[in-house]
Amino acid sequence: MFKVREYTVQPTLPDALKPLRTLAMNLWWTWNPDAQELFRRLEPTLWHQFENNPIKLLNAIDQERLATAAKDPAFVAHLERIMETLKRDMSSKTWFEREYPDLADRKIAYFSAEFGMHECVPLYSGGLGVLAGDHLKTASDLGVPVVGVSLLYRYGYFHQHLSKEGLQFEEYPPVDLQNTPISMVMDSEGQPLKVWFPMSDHSICAQLWKTQVGRVELYLLDTHVPENSPEEQEITGKLYGGDQRMRIRQEVVLGVGGVRALESVGIIPDVCHMNEGHCAFLAIERIRQMMQKHGLSFDDAREAVAGSTLFTTHTPVPAGIDTFPPDLVERYVGPLANDIGLSVPGLLALGQLDRQREGEPFSMAILALRLASACNGVSKLHAQVARRMWHPLWRELPISEVPISAVTNGIHIRTWQSIEMATLFDRYLGPDWSRNPLDSEVWNRINEIPDEELWAAHERLRERMVAATRAHLKKQLKRRGAPPSELDAAGEMLDPEALTIGFARRFATYKRANLFLRDVERLEALLTDEKRPLQFVFAGKAHPRDDVGKELIKRIVEFSRTSNAYKRIVFLEDYSMGIARFLVQGVDVWLNNPIKLLEASGTSGMKVTPNGGINFSVLDGWWPEGYDGTNGWIIGDDQMYENDEYQDSVEAASIYEQLEREIVPLFYDRGRDGMPRKWIAKMKSSMRTCPPQFSGNRMLRQYATELYAPAAKRWLRLSADNFSAAKELANWKKQIAQNWDQVRIEDVKSEGGPVRAVGAQVPVSARVHLGRIDPSDVSVEIYHGLIEGASDITEGEITPMRVEGKPENGVYYFTGAIPCDTTGRHGFAVRAIPHHDDVDNRHASGLIRWG
């Protein structure tokens, strides 16, 4: 058989149009409608056919069309205007530069196993990746000096195909890198840049790719190179594919290879942010670098690295955490441990909960928690859940003090908002509304948008969503080989004027996609009401190994085919960011009904709000922070029952009841002018309250203020003067740990009787034996608050105590007073914990002594 040698022929861009390729390679265009309109204007048919992929468009367009466009002064002027806007956006002074001028040249490396920027860059599976993409886009807007790190999956996440009966099948076509806005990184000699790192008993290689996201660069590692064995080339094959052995190798590439990749392009990050635990091996690699380059001990390097490492957890249940058996960790990470002088038991101890139990699994989240100075959950409720979940790591602490804070997720509004709504916002809120997310005066102007204009825009979006849904249905029917009669019927699915509810997300069991099917007769009555019709649009993928999730999809598809209301419920296969956009822009209501406390945050419901959509959700994830009684609806209440079946029954009944009594009647309550004024009022309330609070702009400002800036300053402090502060801190921790068993709170006294008046104080004194520990190295404090139940202080406050007089044989006398600000049953306890000015996480050591 003869060998075929490949080559690619591309159109040649005339000089006047050469900036088009620069524009197409910067994902800035994904949140700039005018730039998207430029590409659409170049060749509307291909733009639609290629699903808004400008690289594919430029690689396939007819040469004559390019020549015509280059001679079109209007088109060239449009291009010049867009490029001038891009240049201005990339060079103007940013929020971060104004707020933190001394940190503007620092680098914050944001590691994530997936990034969802646009459907033409298929390196995401769902919410985690889309959040990461929105994180980079917002960092670009605000000028936060972030650089992204991930893997280049040659087959991405699977494409979903459904049989007529609703059975899910997976397909993994290779990512077409020629038609993707990703470029290979070259070295100084013009060759592909590659990095090497240990894996098992040898080293493997990864080459580097890059995509530009506005001001931000995202680097992607790719093991599909000839230097690796065929098996190793497949490490960056499929996102979340393979077994545990494949997963741990991917996570070594992401964490260890990612740090080395940044070094190869001249970036030594000041702060590393781990988005979930998949990338936690990066901390071990950073420790290795510190030891090798600066001659630090493991303990010294650990202090420097942990002080500048952050961890965001997204998982509310232990079963969702990546864990590995010890032998896999020893095999694939052991060589790296040897480089830093760690024994295998020492390495394993970093990620084990019970270090004494034989065979204890190695948890990536525990590794991240132990090697990061700060951890956050992704909503206030999730942070509470995470504190309970990880309390075993801090057994002596009250749960409320487990060091996990909350930074609630947000969305990049410009990515998800329709151009119609963006135009209304620009007109009535002012052109700078997206830069003022915290200005309530700006958002109050939502009320100034005329009802007629808002409703007209929303109806256009629903009509467009219905049209896009029909087109997508026809495509999936054609792929299935459906007869012409079915194709014709697809053109009549859904009613562009009917109340439309959307449900689109990962089909995991806990999200309860079939909850609305518990009472089919009641549901069909709602769907078949001729005067007040209701309709549903579903989309989402089940993990290839999740048979229960696949069954949920099958059940919905079966109902849509056999129900009397088959035109009023559709399931769109192969859910993507493209489908998500037209759904969140066009639906009237977004349904969200997970099992409570299992949805860490969720962001899909946030995306409907700047488009006039309204949320209908259980009180989980972000919704307890967002719901105010006027801007949406809640399913059930905050009650949780021990019987899951009963919980489902109660909340399904709540869905039906609110649809029947509240939601459907409100939507169809029209005045003589045909306007649903009360519905529009609820739309405005949703638009006024949710977008500012749940924007990526607010989220990134919070990360920058509460986590990034403190971590960057901590890194500068710890690394100064050849890491003298890190060395001193490591030595201090060692001394404290060696002498902590001497700390005893020997006597606690409080003056006065058992009843106090508001405004009074409770004087407290304690004799504390510190032994060889200096009182400046200890914080002795009163932990006090309201008592619930038998004797538990659920949300305690801290009042510091001060040392009085001279010590006697290592015993110090401390005093303090509790303010009596509120009525009720109160309690207190005295405790001591280590204190050091360079330790921001006061509970990092886990040492505490209670009286």
Side-chain angles (χ1 to χ4, degrees):
M1 181 68 179
F2 59 85
K3 181 179 180 180
V4 175
R5 300 180 183 273
E6 295 184 14
Y7 60 94
T8 301
V9 178
Q10 295 179 342
T12 301
L13 289 175
D15 289 344
L17 302 186
K18 284 184 177 177
L20 280 172
R21 194 164 292 278
T22 301
L23 177 62
M25 291 299 291
N26 189 331
L27 291 168
W28 174 87
W29 61 262
T30 64
W31 68 91
N32 284 271
D34 201 21
Q36 296 168 39
E37 174 59 23
L38 177 75
F39 289 117
R40 190 205 65 80
R41 179 178 176 183
L42 185 63
E43 181 51 79
T45 302
L46 288 181
W47 178 249
H48 178 72
Q49 178 184 334
F50 295 153
E51 298 179 325
N52 306 349
N53 182 340
I55 298 295
K56 199 168 185 178
L57 172 71
L58 294 179
N59 287 344
I61 196 169
D62 185 79
Q63 191 71 48
E64 287 188 21
R65 175 66 191 111
L66 291 174
T68 301
K71 296 176 183 178
D72 181 349
F75 185 85
V76 172
H78 190 177
L79 172 59
E80 291 173 348
R81 184 176 73 251
I82 294 297
M83 296 307 294
E84 185 59 36
T85 303
L86 173 61
K87 180 180 178 181
R88 184 176 65 249
D89 280 5
M90 297 305 100
S91 60
S92 59
K93 194 164 185 176
T94 66
W95 171 84
F96 191 84
E97 290 172 319
R98 291 191 297 271
E99 293 292 318
Y100 302 100
D102 55 330
L103 301 177
D105 60 347
R106 302 289 105 189
K107 276 295 181 185
I108 300 155
Y110 182 81
F111 286 70
S112 181
E114 52 173 308
F115 280 88
M117 277 84 61
H118 189 266
E119 56 269 27
C120 71
V121 189
L123 305 177
Y124 64 94
S125 71
L128 180 73
V130 173
L131 171 75
D134 281 9
H135 196 103
L136 296 193
K137 294 172 184 178
T138 309
S140 173
D141 290 342
L142 294 177
V144 182
V146 167
V147 56
V149 181
S150 192
L151 305 183
L152 179 67
Y153 304 97
R154 287 292 182 131
Y155 298 94
Y157 199 53
F158 70 90
H159 285 270
Q160 176 197 53
H161 300 302
L162 300 179
S163 70
K164 185 175 183 180
E165 294 75 24
L167 295 172
Q168 174 180 292
F169 296 94
E170 298 87 32
E171 182 185 12
Y172 288 91
V175 175
D176 184 2
L177 294 176
Q178 292 279 1
N179 289 310
T180 304
I182 298 174
S183 58
M184 191 179 293
V185 180
M186 301 297 181
D187 62 19
S188 58
E189 298 178 358
Q191 298 299 312
L193 183 60
K194 298 177 180 179
V195 294
W196 292 83
F197 45 91
M199 177 84 76
S200 189
D201 57 355
H202 62 289
S203 291
I204 71 166
C205 177
Q207 70 180 14
L208 236 58
W209 300 74
K210 182 180 76 172
T211 186
Q212 196 72 32
V213 188
R215 297 170 182 263
V216 173
E217 294 169 330
L218 169 60
Y219 289 96
L220 304 163
L221 289 95
D222 173 20
T223 62
H224 196 83
V225 292
E227 290 88 342
N228 294 330
S229 70
E231 184 183 18
E232 290 164 344
Q233 290 180 22
E234 291 304 311
I235 292 176
T236 55
K238 298 174 182 178
L239 173 59
Y240 302 141
D243 55 13
Q244 279 196 312
R245 184 165 163 267
M246 175 61 78
R247 180 64 69 86
I248 194 170
R249 289 185 296 170
Q250 287 185 332
E251 295 184 2
V252 169
V253 176
L254 176 60
V256 179
V259 172
R260 297 196 184 189
L262 291 178
E263 183 183 27
S264 73
V265 295
I267 297 174
I268 306 297
D270 303 275
V271 176
C272 283
H273 183 176
M274 301 182 285
N275 189 42
E276 234 345 322
H278 310 113
C279 47
F281 290 134
L282 72 85
I284 295 177
E285 171 60 18
R286 291 185 76 204
I287 289 172
R288 184 200 67 81
Q289 286 190 356
M290 294 298 103
M291 294 175 66
Q292 184 181 76
K293 293 179 180 179
H294 303 285
L296 303 181
S297 69
F298 172 80
D299 290 337
D300 297 345
R302 176 177 176 170
E303 292 304 329
V305 168
S308 58
T309 303
L310 311 172
F311 171 45
T312 296
T313 174
H314 295 258
T315 309
V317 289
I321 300 294
D322 274 358
T323 60
F324 300 107
D327 63 306
L328 278 186
V329 180
E330 178 180 359
R331 177 178 179 182
Y332 291 108
V333 193
L336 193 65
N338 291 335
D339 288 347
I340 57 179
L342 267 188
S343 65
V344 170
L347 168 66
L348 293 173
L350 291 173
Q352 291 175 324
L353 179 60
D354 184 351
R355 307 177 194 190
Q356 306 303 318
R357 188 164 72 95
E358 186 175 351
E360 176 78 358
F362 183 93
S363 164
M364 296 299 286
I366 291 177
L367 176 66
L369 285 164
R370 288 197 172 126
L371 295 182
S373 61
C375 172
N376 71 280
V378 289
S379 70
K380 291 179 180 178
L381 180 59
H382 174 235
Q384 295 174 13
V385 173
R387 285 192 283 269
R388 284 196 294 272
M389 187 167 94
W390 295 117
H391 186 233
L393 291 174
W394 292 273
R395 294 182 188 278
E396 292 294 319
L397 281 180
I399 290 175
S400 62
E401 285 198 295
V402 170
I404 299 176
S405 64
V407 180
T408 302
N409 285 342
I411 62 165
H412 188 257
I413 293 176
R414 288 288 193 184
T415 291
W416 298 102
Q417 189 178 43
S418 67
I419 189 170
E420 288 84 356
M421 288 300 178
T423 300
L424 285 180
F425 277 35
D426 290 344
R427 184 182 306 153
Y428 291 100
L429 276 63
D432 291 332
W433 61 266
S434 62
R435 298 187 180 93
N436 294 286
L438 307 181
D439 188 342
S440 59
E441 286 300 314
V442 170
W443 291 95
N444 284 337
R445 294 178 199 152
I446 289 286
N447 292 328
E448 297 177 13
I449 301 176
D451 288 357
E452 293 78 8
E453 289 189 46
L454 180 60
W455 188 244
H458 182 63
E459 288 208 297
R460 283 197 299 274
L461 293 173
R462 193 189 318 108
E463 290 168 3
R464 185 188 304 158
M465 182 270 296
V466 169
T469 297
R470 290 171 174 174
H472 193 83
L473 283 172
K474 286 183 178 180
K475 280 174 60 178
Q476 64 189 59
L477 288 170
K478 283 181 180 178
R479 190 182 299 117
R480 199 184 297 156
S485 59
E486 284 193 45
L487 296 178
D488 292 340
E492 299 177 358
M493 295 295 285
L494 302 183
D495 179 347
E497 296 183 355
L499 172 60
T500 306
I501 295 179
F503 182 102
R505 51 185 47 84
R506 185 164 53 93
F507 265 66
T509 310
Y510 79 87
K511 293 180 184 284
R512 299 190 298 183
N514 63 340
L515 189 62
F516 81 117
L517 290 174
R518 286 185 70 90
D519 189 335
V520 171
E521 290 185 9
R522 203 167 173 184
L523 176 62
E524 285 191 332
L526 285 162
L527 295 173
T528 57
D529 189 322
E530 292 299 326
K531 293 183 178 179
R532 302 190 306 185
L534 175 68
Q535 57 195 17
F536 286 85
V537 183
F538 284 84
K541 298 177 179 179
H543 189 278
R545 293 192 295 273
D546 184 0
D547 292 335
V548 178
K550 291 180 181 180
E551 186 61 31
L552 295 178
I553 294 174
K554 182 172 178 287
R555 176 76 180 90
I556 293 171
V557 172
E558 283 179 346
F559 177 76
S560 70
R561 291 178 56 243
T562 60
S563 165
N564 294 328
Y566 74 94
K567 289 187 178 180
R568 298 271 167 81
I569 182 166
V570 299
F571 193 104
L572 302 177
E573 69 179 22
D574 207 23
Y575 186 42
S576 69
M577 290 182 70
I579 293 174
R581 269 197 312 278
F582 71 69
L583 287 182
V584 299
Q585 291 174 6
V587 299
D588 301 294
V589 174
W590 196 256
L591 178 63
N592 182 46
N593 46 237
I595 299 172
K596 289 192 188 79
L597 304 187
L598 297 188
E599 185 73 89
S601 176
T603 58
S604 60
M606 299 176 187
K607 298 179 178 90
V608 302
T609 61
N611 292 294
I614 306 173
N615 278 273
F616 182 27
S617 174
V618 300
L619 284 170
D620 198 19
W622 71 280
W623 193 228
E625 297 170 56
Y627 176 70
D628 70 359
T630 70
N631 58 0
W633 301 275
I634 58 172
I635 296 171
D637 51 30
D638 58 2
Q639 182 71 39
M640 293 186 65
Y641 302 96
E642 292 185 6
N643 186 298
D644 293 342
E645 181 71 16
Y646 184 69
Q647 186 89 37
D648 289 353
S649 177
V650 168
E651 291 175 353
S654 176
I655 290 175
Y656 298 131
E657 185 170 340
Q658 291 197 76
L659 286 173
E660 293 163 347
R661 297 187 180 184
E662 173 71 17
I663 298 174
V664 173
L666 192 69
F667 182 85
Y668 289 104
D669 181 10
R670 309 294 171 97
R672 292 182 179 179
D673 57 2
M675 300 285 293
R677 300 284 180 178
K678 293 179 181 178
W679 184 275
I680 294 170
K682 193 168 281 285
M683 287 172 61
K684 286 185 175 181
S685 181
S686 174
M687 298 172 82
R688 186 178 63 252
T689 58
C690 293
Q693 187 178 356
F694 302 103
S695 70
N697 194 308
R698 188 274 311 155
M699 177 183 72
L700 254 291
R701 290 186 189 214
Q702 190 176 351
Y703 271 118
T705 302
E706 298 178 10
L707 296 173
Y708 290 167
K713 291 175 181 177
R714 193 160 50 243
W715 166 255
L716 292 174
R717 189 168 66 246
L718 292 172
S719 62
D721 192 22
N722 193 30
F723 293 86
S724 61
K727 295 173 184 176
E728 190 276 329
L729 180 58
N731 182 64
W732 175 85
K733 285 189 174 182
K734 187 180 300 181
Q735 295 299 318
I736 290 291
Q738 289 174 350
N739 294 292
W740 192 251
D741 61 351
Q742 300 177 26
V743 177
R744 298 187 301 275
I745 299 173
E746 296 183 336
D747 188 26
V748 177
K749 295 179 180 180
S750 64
E751 299 176 12
V755 178
R756 311 297 171 104
V758 172
Q761 291 188 328
V762 180
V764 178
S765 62
R767 293 174 66 249
V768 183
H769 184 277
L770 296 179
R772 288 189 293 271
I773 296 178
D774 190 87
S776 65
D777 291 330
V778 175
S779 176
V780 178
E781 52 199 33
I782 310 166
Y783 179 77
H784 58 94
L786 286 166
I787 290 179
E788 294 185 11
S791 59
D792 293 331
I793 300 173
T794 54
E795 295 290 337
E797 298 181 29
I798 297 167
T799 295
M801 302 180 76
R802 60 187 178 276
V803 66
E804 302 281 359
K806 295 181 180 180
E808 300 177 7
N809 299 320
V811 176
Y812 294 80
Y813 186 69
F814 286 83
T815 62
I818 306 170
C820 298
D821 296 329
T822 59
T823 59
R825 183 174 166 229
H826 292 255
F828 77 91
V830 174
R831 69 187 186 184
I833 61 173
H835 168 79
H836 193 286
D837 289 341
D838 282 334
V839 177
D840 282 14
N841 180 354
R842 63 202 312 266
H843 296 303
S845 67
L847 300 176
I848 190 168
R849 187 76 71 219
W850 291 92

